[in-house]
Amino acid sequence: MPIYEFSCKDCGNEFEELVFSRDAVPPCPRCGSMQTEKLMSACASRVQGSGPDPEVLKNLSCGSGGG
């Protein structure tokens, strides 16, 4: 079950939520509004071993304009 990031359209609160369904839209924990939307999350990676190779890291991209 993935954790998604959401934003409330009514109060602007950004929050994370563990969701059981890909299409689930949880209410805002601050104001209770159902007017929430899923945000595009930054990508993360896990490196095993002695650490990342700097040459490989400089060529990675999240695909969303980030570096």
Side-chain angles (χ1 to χ4, degrees):
M1 293 170 281
I3 296 177
Y4 290 103
E5 294 178 72
F6 293 88
S7 176
C8 178
K9 293 180 183 179
D10 289 339
C11 73
N13 183 37
E14 291 187 3
F15 61 98
E16 294 180 344
E17 187 77 27
L18 177 69
V19 294
F20 298 96
S21 170
R22 184 179 186 141
D23 298 323
V25 180
C28 175
R30 181 185 291 164
C31 72
S33 172
M34 291 300 294
Q35 297 299 314
T36 59
E37 63 182 353
K38 197 180 298 184
L39 298 176
M40 185 68 82
S41 300
C43 64
S45 63
R46 178 186 295 182
V47 177
Q48 295 179 346
S50 63
D53 179 349
E55 288 299 312
V56 172
L57 287 179
K58 76 177 185 180
N59 293 319
L60 291 178
S61 172
C62 291
S64 62

